């Protein structure tokens, strides 16, 4: 349909698939239907100033042409964009998607349509795909160049500095100056060249994706961001301009906003000839009259502005596309124009439900000769809801000249494409940006995002093996300057193992303090002054967390000072009194003992929070919205239990120090005394810790399930969750199973905005039997569960998965036999799915209506994270047990790592945090939230082989399907520690430890 051109389009540079994309107005994978009739060529100018030609029927509607463009770009979030053209009155108007082309374009062959952004959301993080955000960055660049995005000199210079950082890479004075002389980005640019170069010099290490992220971050704060001014006059004849935004109608005088009428205050918008009328809702406190009148240039000007107001209101304020009015029988009055297309809410829901990759912006630091990938950012991400198992996206940026030449662009697979080796770009243009998201990765995380947090360079959610970004968390070693560490640097550090153990204490303490800030700062700011939060909740949480935060802040300062002395460059080879850590730990752990009373109340805080949320709908919404914020990268109740888990980390660190030191070492005695102190506190809190971990896990699962109200009961214990295939009349169907000590639930994933799992049925464990049935049904790894009223045949993905499930179910059956057997009945009454348990499994069906009807509260319709452990298990077809969760709690780690992709040459330094079965990536340890995350369930961790040509020490390899990432640590000790904790997340623990969880923990 598109005339062949040798020049790469924006979509091709971003890795758009060759296959047909997705219609943004009619969800599906088919191209728009072309009506019969004579064809005409339509020219479309893209945002990168390339032109594409489409052959369409003269009878085709504007929607057909627009869908062809989105299909060509493989653009899923196309509803933010539209096509505009200059009509016969020399006015720029939007192409009407419902009208035929022949009725809109008088001379189609000689008219050039522009593909541009039409709807500007308030926050660019609402855009779930990296391709969408990239196109928004191109729009900002265009608006700057034409003067539409007017701003002060400082803002203009800052915006241009991010643009040239994305195009030419790190600052080099002569190159930067010459580039600015050859390319114009803003009017009167010459006068600002020095200031632009000053800002550019501060962007060292930013990747193209990070530069674009910063560009949008700066631009969205400008008053004229996304604003198109429509000339008008008020009743006194003063010259004004009208504009529309997501908030409502705006009034400008020159480039200064002098008034705004929020949608909630507007009762009606209309026009009569040249007069544009805004009717306001009655407001006793307002000095405005009921109707405001503005005089515009012509009736056509009024109508154009009125139409865009109608569309903006519908897109941002309505939940779904408005339905057309019925045609009157005799005559019409007024305009029949209506908004056609999906609303913003529908777009977001569609992208999430369709499992498209949401790619946060990632940035990759560039060093000479390095090829870097760039990420929410983030996020993906999204991002990210952003997963490494999805193909990552790759995009390259080059200077305007290279874009005009259509030269050397890296490819990024679009959604659903398998990643392939990336072409190496020309050495002159090495800066590439890559981003990908997936529901499994969080960037917070659609498409898989590979996110890396380098101090300056950053990449978001799951990157693919070739230079594409891995999932949100990738962490090469980052120094404070955020630069890439080269092989030639001679960095002298202590080589004693004790130093690296002490450094682990430092890095994990930094992460722990940041986690405390989530509760003491972010959460406290949210609910501290809110009347919905009861005083008892505020008291028990904040009065117990604030003293701990103050204590650990002082402890971290002492550890940082000791490590600074220990690793002093000039004295690193000299042994002195400062080359130990036991005395610092002993002093502070003794100071922690008086705070044990606060630690003992953390379990009460968790219960009080749950109780308060059940009693207050407003508080429940506040907590839910807080958990969707970037700073709350794991569930809130996990943060509340962090202080208890931190004691286990202190104990492990001291055990490693005592094992390393000989008894005669100067630090051995202090370490042993500190170990005795922390072991005493752990023993006191062990019982409540085990109960609270189970309680926390039940609360988390409650948010992932639809159709059950009483999941959290005092006697219920979680054992395992994971993916199994259930045999029915339709064959094997993927189901999510949840095993407790009294019942086995099976669910399916609903295609709803919440991404939750709908409970289809339950199998009480009392009197249940289990047997292998692979030979009986001819299905590999199959086994049969025979209950009192129902039998179910399921199949695992592998032999090891089947053995783990059978072992755990047998153990759970034994536990159920010793209980009173009433809890399962309580569960049965709570199931909102009224399907009879005697119904044959082959009759199991589900529909969108069923899923919607099963929602029992507004909470289920609210946004929901799609990157929880349950969702990762669903996408990776694996399972995880409570023992695995307990081990993950003990095996938390953070620090600097160097990261490399399979087909890239350079290593990036990043700050990486391992927790909750995921790697989280930050630019620096000081960042408040991760840029991306990489869930590790299903991944394998190995050592690179000789054939992979990784000629470095202390390198480990993460791979899942075609996704490959290399990480490089700074010492043998840190290498072994990262391998150990990652294996704990990728290799499920033996379930034989489950029975011993109630026994004294082997701490």
């Amino acid at each position: 349909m598109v005339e062949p051109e040798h020049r790469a389009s924006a979509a091709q540079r971003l890795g758009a698939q060759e296959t047909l994309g997705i219609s943004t107005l009619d969800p599906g994978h088919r191209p728009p239907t072309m009506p019969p009739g004579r064809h005409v060529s339509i020219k479309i100018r893209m945002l990168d100033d390339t032109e594409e030609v489409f052959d369409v029927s003269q009878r085709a509607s504007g929607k057909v042409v627009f869908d062809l463009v989105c299909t060509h770009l493989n653009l899923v979030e196309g509803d933010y964009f539209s096509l505009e053209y200059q009509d016969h009155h020399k006015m720029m108007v939007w192409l009407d998607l419902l009208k035929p082309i022949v009725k809109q374009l008088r001379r189609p062959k000689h008219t050039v349509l522009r593909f541009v952004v039409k709807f500007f959301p308030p926050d660019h993080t609402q855009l779930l795909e990296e391709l969408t955000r990239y196109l928004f960055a191109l729009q900002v660049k265009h608006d700057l160049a034409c003067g539409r995005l007017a701003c002060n000199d400082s803002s203009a210079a800052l915006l241009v500095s991010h643009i040239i950082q994305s195009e030419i890479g790190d600052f080099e004075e002569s190159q930067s100056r010459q580039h600015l002389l050859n390319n114009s980005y803003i009017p009167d640019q010459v006068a600002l060249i020095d200031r632009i170069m000053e800002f550019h010099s501060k962007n060292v290490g930013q990747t193209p994706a990070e530069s674009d992220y910063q560009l949008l971050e700066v631009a969205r704060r400008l008053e004229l961001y996304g604003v198109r001014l429509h000339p008008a006059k008020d009743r006194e004849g003063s010259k004004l301009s009208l504009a529309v935004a997501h908030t409502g109608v705006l009034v400008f005088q020159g480039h200064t906003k002098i008034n705004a009428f929020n949608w909630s205050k507007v009762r009606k918008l209309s026009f009569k000839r040249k007069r544009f009328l805004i009717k306001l809702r009655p407001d006793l406190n307002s000095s405005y009259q009921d109707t405001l009148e503005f005089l515009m240039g012509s009736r056509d000007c009024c109508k154009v502005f009125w139409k865009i107001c109608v569309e903006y209101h519908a897109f941002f304020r309505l939940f779904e596309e408005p339905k057309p009015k019925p045609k009157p029988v005799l005559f019409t009055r007024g305009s029949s124009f209506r908004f056609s297309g999906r609303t913003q809410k529908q777009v977001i829901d569609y992208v999430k439900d369709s499992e498209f990759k949401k790619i946060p912006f990632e940035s990759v630091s560039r060093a000479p000769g390095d090829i870097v990938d760039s990420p929410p950012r983030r996020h993906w991400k999204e991002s990210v809801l952003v997963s490494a198992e999805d193909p990552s996206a790759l995009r390259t940026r080059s200077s305007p000249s290279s874009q005009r030449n259509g030269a050397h662009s890296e490819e990024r697979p679009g959604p659903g494409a398998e990643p392939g080796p990336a072409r190496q770009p020309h050495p002159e243009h090495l800066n590439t940006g890559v981003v990908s998201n997936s529901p499994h990765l969080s960037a917070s995380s659609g498409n898989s995002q590979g996110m890396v947090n380098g101090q300056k360079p950053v990449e978001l959610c799951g990157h693919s093996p070739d230079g594409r970004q891995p999932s949100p968390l990738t962490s090469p070693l980052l120094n404070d300057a955020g630069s890439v560490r080269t092989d030639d640097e001679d960095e002298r550090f202590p080589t004693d193992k004790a130093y690296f153990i002490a450094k682990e204490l430092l890095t994990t303490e930094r992460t722990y303090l940041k986690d405390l800030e989530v509760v003491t700062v972010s959460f406290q700011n949210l609910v501290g002054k809110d009347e919905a939060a009861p005083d008892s909740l505020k008291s028990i949480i904040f009065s117990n967390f604030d003293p701990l935060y103050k204590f650990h802040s002082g402890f971290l300062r002492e550890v940082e000072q000791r490590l600074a002395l220990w690793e002093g460059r000039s004295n690193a080879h000299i042994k002195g009194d400062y080359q130990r850590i036991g005395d610092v730990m002993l002093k502070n752990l003794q100071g922690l003992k008086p705070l044990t009373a606060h630690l003992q109340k953390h379990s009460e805080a968790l219960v009080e929070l749950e109780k308060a949320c059940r009693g207050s709908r407003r508080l429940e919404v506040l907590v839910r919205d807080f958990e969707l914020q970037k700073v709350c990268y794991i569930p809130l109740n996990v943060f509340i239990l962090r202080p208890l888990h931190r004691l286990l980390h202190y104990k492990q660190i001291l055990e490693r120090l005592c094992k390393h030191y000989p008894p005669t070492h100067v630090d051995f005695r202090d370490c042993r005394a500190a170990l005795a102190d922390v072991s005493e506190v752990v023993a006191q809190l062990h019982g409540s810790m085990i109960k609270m971990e189970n309680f926390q896990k039940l609360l988390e699962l409650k948010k992932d399930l639809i159709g059950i109200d009483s999941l959290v009961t005092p006697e219920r214990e979680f054992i395992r969750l994971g993916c199994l295939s259930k045999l029915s009349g339709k064959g094997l169907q993927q189901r999510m199973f949840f095993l407790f000590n009294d019942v086995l639930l099976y669910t399916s994933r609903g295609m709803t905005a919440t991404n939750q799992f709908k409970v289809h049925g339950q199998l009480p464990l009392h009197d249940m039997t289990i047997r292998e049935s692979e030979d009986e049904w001819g299905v590999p790894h199959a086994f049969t569960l025979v209950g009192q009223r129902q039998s179910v045949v399921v199949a695992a993905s592998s032999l090891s998965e089947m053995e783990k499930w059978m072992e755990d179910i047998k153990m759970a059956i034994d536990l159920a036999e010793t209980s009173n057997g009433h809890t399962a009945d309580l569960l049965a009454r709570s199931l909102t799915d009224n399907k009879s348990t005697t119904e044959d499994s082959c009759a199991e069906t589900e529909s969108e209506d069923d899923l919607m009807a099963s929602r029992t509260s507004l909470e289920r319709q609210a946004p929901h994270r799609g990157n929880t452990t349950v969702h990762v298990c669903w996408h990776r077809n694996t399972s995880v047990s409570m023992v695995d969760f307990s081990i993950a709690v003990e095996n938390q780690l953070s620090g600097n790592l160097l990261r490399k992709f399979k087909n890239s040459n350079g290593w990036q330094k990043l700050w990486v945090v391992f927790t909750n079965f995921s790697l989280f990536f930050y630019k620096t340890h000081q960042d408040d939230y991760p840029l991306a995350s990489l869930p590790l369930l299903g991944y394998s961790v190995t050592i690179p082989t000789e054939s992979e040509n990784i000629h470095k020490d202390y390198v480990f390899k993460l791979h899942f399907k075609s996704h490959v990432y290399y990480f490089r640590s700074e010492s043998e000790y840190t290498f072994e520690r990262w391998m150990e904790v990652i294996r704990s997340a990728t290799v499920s623990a033996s379930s034989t430890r489950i029975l011993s969880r109630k026994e004294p923990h082997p701490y």
Side-chain angles (χ1 to χ4, degrees):
M1 303 277 300
V2 182
E3 289 189 2
E5 287 197 8
H6 298 293
R7 188 164 155 196
S9 69
Q12 291 167 337
R13 285 198 299 276
L14 284 171
Q17 293 172 297
E18 293 298 327
T19 56
L20 289 168
I22 293 173
S23 169
T24 61
L25 297 179
D26 292 327
H29 294 269
R30 294 188 303 271
T33 303
M34 188 66 63
R38 189 166 63 89
H39 280 222
V40 64
S41 296
I42 303 292
K43 291 182 181 179
I44 310 291
R45 181 168 298 157
M46 303 299 183
L47 280 165
D48 62 350
D49 290 330
T50 60
E51 284 191 3
E52 302 291 346
V53 181
F54 296 85
D55 287 336
V56 298
S57 169
Q58 282 187 331
R59 298 181 183 178
S61 65
K63 173 179 173 293
V64 172
V65 178
F66 182 67
D67 280 357
L68 284 174
V69 178
C70 294
T71 297
H72 175 65
L73 293 175
N74 200 36
L75 179 61
V76 178
E77 296 175 293
D79 302 78
Y80 290 102
F81 303 83
S82 190
L83 298 171
E84 66 173 0
Y85 66 97
Q86 192 176 56
D87 66 3
H88 60 284
H89 294 303
K90 304 299 180 182
M91 290 177 54
M92 295 302 297
V93 296
W94 296 105
L95 187 71
D96 192 321
L97 300 183
L98 299 180
K99 290 184 178 179
I101 293 293
V102 69
K103 291 188 177 182
Q104 301 185 68
L105 306 181
R106 289 193 171 185
R107 305 175 65 191
K109 292 183 180 180
H110 303 284
T111 303
V112 178
L113 300 177
R114 290 194 62 93
F115 178 79
V116 295
V117 178
K118 185 174 186 178
F119 300 110
F120 288 80
D123 188 351
H124 56 85
T125 58
Q126 293 176 348
L127 306 175
L128 302 181
E129 282 214 317
E130 197 276 337
L131 170 58
T132 313
R133 291 192 292 271
Y134 168 55
L135 295 174
F136 265 71
L138 291 180
Q139 182 68 63
V140 169
K141 178 181 172 183
H142 179 270
D143 290 349
L144 266 179
C146 70
R148 180 182 294 161
L149 185 56
C151 55
N152 59 43
D153 290 349
S154 294
S155 297
L158 183 59
L159 290 168
V160 175
S161 73
H162 290 305
I163 293 175
I164 62 174
Q165 174 72 21
S166 175
E167 292 184 348
I168 67 175
D170 288 344
F171 175 76
E172 197 282 314
E173 185 172 1
S174 59
Q175 180 194 20
S176 180
R177 184 177 297 277
Q178 189 61 41
H179 184 79
L180 289 170
L181 291 174
N182 293 339
N183 300 276
S184 178
Y185 297 101
I186 53 176
D188 303 323
Q189 177 175 293
V190 176
L192 294 177
I193 284 183
D194 291 337
R195 188 176 295 187
I196 294 171
M197 292 174 62
E198 179 185 352
F199 283 128
H200 186 199
S201 65
K202 298 176 182 178
N203 295 338
V204 173
Q206 281 188 2
T207 61
E210 188 178 39
S211 298
D212 283 351
Y213 180 89
Q214 296 299 332
L215 176 70
L216 294 178
E217 185 66 26
V218 175
R220 76 181 183 91
R221 301 177 189 278
L222 299 177
E223 207 160 55
L224 289 173
Y225 172 66
V227 168
R228 291 194 174 206
L229 299 178
H230 297 254
K233 294 180 181 179
D234 60 12
R235 285 183 174 179
E236 287 73 35
S238 300
K239 290 185 177 181
L240 303 171
S241 295
L242 298 180
V244 63
H246 67 280
T247 55
V249 180
L250 311 178
V251 182
F252 285 82
Q253 195 163 43
H255 288 155
T256 304
K257 184 171 68 175
I258 61 173
N259 216 331
F261 301 100
N262 195 284
W263 293 125
S264 60
K265 298 179 181 179
V266 175
R267 184 166 61 90
K268 183 180 180 181
L269 295 176
S270 60
F271 67 96
K272 188 174 183 181
R273 298 186 178 88
K274 294 183 179 183
R275 292 180 297 149
F276 184 79
L277 307 174
I278 302 177
K279 292 187 179 181
L280 302 177
R281 299 184 185 278
D283 186 357
L284 298 177
N285 299 321
S286 174
S287 60
Y288 294 109
Q289 46 192 325
D290 176 63
T291 303
L292 300 176
E293 182 178 311
F294 298 90
L295 188 66
M296 305 190 80
S298 65
R299 180 185 181 277
D300 288 340
C301 292
C302 269
K303 187 171 184 178
V304 167
F305 183 63
W306 174 79
K307 281 185 175 181
I308 189 62
C309 287
V310 171
E311 292 177 317
Y312 252 82
H313 176 269
F315 184 77
F316 287 107
R317 297 279 289 183
L318 301 186
F319 287 154
E320 58 185 18
E321 177 184 357
K323 295 176 181 173
K325 296 178 182 179
K327 292 184 178 180
V329 179
L330 297 177
F331 60 89
T332 62
R333 181 181 179 184
S335 174
S336 62
F337 175 79
R338 66 179 178 87
F339 170 73
S340 75
R342 294 181 300 202
T343 65
Q344 186 189 33
K345 182 181 184 301
Q346 288 178 309
V347 175
I348 293 175
D349 292 347
Y350 174 63
V351 176
K352 287 180 179 177
D353 293 347
S354 302
E355 300 301 340
F356 286 108
K357 300 184 176 185
K358 299 131 191 143
I359 303 161
F361 272 78
E362 315 172 9
S363 74
V364 182
S365 67
R366 309 178 194 78
D370 286 353
I371 298 176
V372 283
D373 319 67
S374 56
R377 344 79 191 192
R378 144 176 342 13
H379 237 217
W380 140 276
K381 30 142 343 345
E382 37 1 311
S383 111
V384 56
L385 307 169
V386 43
S387 111
E389 103 178 47
D390 293 323
S392 4
L394 174 66
R395 79 173 187 195
T396 55
R397 301 297 186 77
S398 55
S399 66
S401 59
S402 68
Q403 290 180 2
R404 285 190 290 271
N405 297 334
H408 42 267
S409 62
E410 285 192 3
E411 298 177 347
R412 174 183 95 180
E418 282 298 319
R423 294 197 302 259
Q424 298 300 324
H426 219 272
E428 297 153 6
H429 300 91
L430 294 172
N431 32 326
T432 66
V434 185
V435 229
S436 54
N437 300 350
S438 90
H440 331 314
L441 294 184
S442 163
S444 287
S445 15
N447 265 353
S448 74
Q449 294 180 3
M451 204 168 158
V452 194
N453 307 344
Q455 307 235 139
K456 285 286 185 180
V458 181
E459 295 196 307
L460 295 173
C461 311
H463 287 299
S464 84
D466 13 359
R468 293 166 287 210
Q469 290 183 299
S471 68
L473 304 178
T474 314
S475 68
L477 295 177
L478 299 178
N479 55 19
D480 292 336
S483 60
V484 176
R485 182 166 126 188
T486 63
D487 301 328
D488 300 331
E489 296 180 22
D490 180 20
E491 299 193 62
R492 295 167 55 196
F493 287 105
T495 56
D496 185 11
K497 181 179 178 180
Y499 162 77
F500 294 105
I501 298 175
K503 191 169 183 180
E504 179 184 337
L505 171 66
L506 170 65
T507 57
T508 53
E509 190 71 13
R510 284 172 172 168
T511 299
Y512 171 58
L513 202 64
K514 278 293 181 183
D515 288 348
L516 287 181
E517 287 179 2
V518 174
V519 178
T520 60
V521 179
S522 303
F523 187 63
Q524 188 167 359
N525 290 340
L526 179 71
V527 303
K529 298 179 181 179
D530 197 288
E531 296 178 357
D535 293 337
S536 58
L537 175 65
K538 298 176 185 178
S539 174
I540 197 170
I541 290 185
F542 304 136
S543 64
N544 288 297
F545 269 86
D546 289 343
L548 287 174
Y549 179 75
K550 182 178 180 181
F551 169 80
H552 285 283
S553 298
F555 180 36
L556 176 59
R557 282 194 298 270
E558 290 190 41
V559 175
E560 288 176 333
Q561 292 168 2
R562 177 57 57 89
L563 266 292
L565 290 172
W566 199 335
E567 65 189 18
R569 289 176 180 265
S570 59
N571 301 322
H573 62 288
I574 304 175
K575 295 195 176 292
D577 290 340
Y578 56 79
Q579 290 190 334
R580 57 178 182 167
I581 198 66
D583 58 330
V584 176
M585 294 196 70
L586 177 61
K587 170 191 169 185
N588 283 275
L589 287 175
Q590 288 176 344
L592 186 61
K593 275 189 174 182
L595 299 177
T596 304
H598 295 294
L599 293 170
Q600 290 172 335
K601 293 193 176 179
H602 280 59
S603 57
E604 298 178 24
L606 195 60
V607 175
E608 185 66 27
L609 177 62
E610 171 63 13
K611 178 182 175 182
C613 287
R614 288 202 309 267
S616 171
R617 172 62 183 162
R618 175 175 171 79
L619 180 62
E620 182 185 12
V621 172
L622 280 176
V623 172
R624 182 195 65 214
D625 292 343
F626 178 75
E627 288 192 321
L628 293 174
Q629 295 181 15
K630 295 177 183 178
V631 70
C632 192
Y633 63 98
I634 53 179
L636 175 61
N637 48 31
V638 176
F639 286 111
I640 293 178
L641 295 181
R642 272 287 194 257
L644 301 178
H645 300 156
R646 187 59 180 158
L647 296 174
L648 304 179
H649 306 155
Y650 292 150
K651 188 172 184 294
Q652 291 177 342
I653 288 172
L654 287 166
E655 285 173 343
R656 283 193 287 272
L657 283 170
C658 289
K659 184 177 180 180
H660 168 68
Y661 286 140
T664 56
H665 193 280
V666 65
D667 204 26
F668 178 77
R669 182 181 232 168
D670 288 339
C671 287
R672 188 171 60 177
L675 177 60
D677 288 341
V678 74
S679 298
E680 179 184 348
V681 178
V682 167
Q684 294 176 13
L685 301 173
H686 174 261
S688 63
M689 193 183 305
I690 294 298
K691 291 179 181 178
M692 284 304 104
E693 286 177 4
N694 180 71
F695 181 58
Q696 179 270 322
K697 183 48 59 181
L698 291 177
L699 293 177
E700 188 177 338
L701 293 179
K702 179 183 174 183
K703 298 176 183 178
D704 285 313
L705 297 177
I706 294 178
I708 180 170
D709 293 326
S710 59
L711 180 67
V712 184
T713 60
E715 300 299 324
R716 179 163 292 126
E717 293 183 17
F718 165 70
I719 297 177
R720 179 176 289 276
L721 64 85
C723 220
L724 293 171
S725 296
K726 181 175 176 290
L727 186 62
S728 67
K730 297 180 181 179
L732 289 174
Q733 294 181 318
Q734 186 179 7
R735 293 289 181 261
M736 198 72 185
F737 282 73
F738 298 84
L739 176 63
F740 303 92
N741 63 336
D742 59 340
V743 70
L744 177 65
L745 301 179
Y746 58 93
T747 67
S748 67
R749 186 164 183 259
M751 291 300 293
T752 66
T754 60
N755 284 328
Q756 291 169 287
F757 289 83
K758 177 187 175 183
V759 176
H760 281 285
Q762 52 132 350
L763 300 171
L765 298 183
H766 193 69
D767 292 336
M768 177 183 282
T769 59
I770 182 173
R771 68 173 187 271
E772 291 189 36
S773 52
E774 181 173 335
D775 296 335
E776 179 181 351
W777 296 98
V779 178
H781 318 309
F783 56 95
T784 302
L785 303 170
V786 182
Q788 294 176 333
R789 294 170 293 181
Q790 182 182 9
S791 296
V792 174
V793 180
V794 294
S797 59
S798 64
L799 178 60
S800 61
E801 278 291 302
M802 182 188 75
E803 291 173 345
K804 286 186 287 188
W805 272 106
M806 292 189 66
E807 182 180 357
D808 285 355
I809 293 174
K810 288 176 182 178
M811 181 204 64
I813 292 173
D814 293 339
L815 291 176
E817 296 298 332
T818 61
S819 66
N820 54 23
H822 294 311
T823 51
D825 296 333
L826 292 174
L827 179 66
R829 290 196 294 271
S830 73
L831 288 173
T832 58
D833 184 359
N834 295 321
K835 182 176 56 181
S836 171
T837 54
T838 60
E839 188 177 7
D840 188 79
S841 60
C842 67
E844 178 183 321
T845 61
E846 60 176 319
S847 68
E848 191 71 17
D849 294 336
D850 294 335
L851 291 170
M852 298 295 289
S854 68
R855 293 173 174 165
T856 57
S857 72
L858 291 177
E859 170 196 345
R860 304 308 188 338
Q861 303 176 27
H864 184 271
R865 287 188 185 274
N867 62 330
T868 63
T869 304
V870 178
H871 288 83
V872 175
C873 288
W874 172 267
H875 289 291
R876 308 235 171 117
N877 199 17
T878 186
S879 67
V880 62
S881 69
M882 189 63 204
V883 174
D884 297 320
F885 283 105
S886 298
I887 294 175
V889 162
E890 302 170 22
N891 288 329
Q892 296 177 19
L893 191 61
S894 56
N896 291 313
L897 287 177
L898 289 166
R899 192 226 54 198
K900 177 187 179 300
F901 301 122
K902 184 169 68 174
N903 291 334
S904 64
N905 296 327
W907 294 83
Q908 283 183 295
K909 234 176 192 179
L910 301 173
W911 177 263
V912 186
V913 174
F914 170 81
T915 186
N916 211 36
F917 303 103
S918 299
L919 293 177
F920 293 88
F921 299 87
Y922 301 74
K923 292 179 67 176
T924 73
H925 67 82
Q926 298 169 329
D927 291 352
D928 292 328
Y929 55 85
L931 296 173
S933 62
L934 172 62
L936 295 178
L937 290 174
Y939 268 77
S940 299
V941 56
T942 57
I943 299 174
T945 61
E946 287 292 332
S947 61
E948 293 174 271
N949 295 321
I950 305 294
H951 304 299
K952 305 293 180 185
D953 295 329
Y954 315 129
V955 175
F956 60 91
K957 169 185 171 184
L958 277 175
H959 56 99
F960 174 75
K961 294 186 178 178
S962 59
H963 302 274
V964 180
Y965 318 111
Y966 300 101
F967 294 93
R968 180 178 162 199
S969 56
E970 62 182 344
S971 69
E972 181 180 1
Y973 171 79
T974 52
F975 167 77
E976 292 173 351
R977 284 290 293 140
W978 279 106
M979 290 283 286
E980 176 186 352
V981 299
I982 291 177
R983 277 182 176 145
S984 72
T986 57
V987 179
S988 182
S990 171
S991 55
T992 55
R993 288 186 52 188
I994 297 180
L995 283 173
S996 65
R997 291 186 68 249
K998 295 183 180 180
E999 302 170 2
H1001 201 279
Y1003 293 142

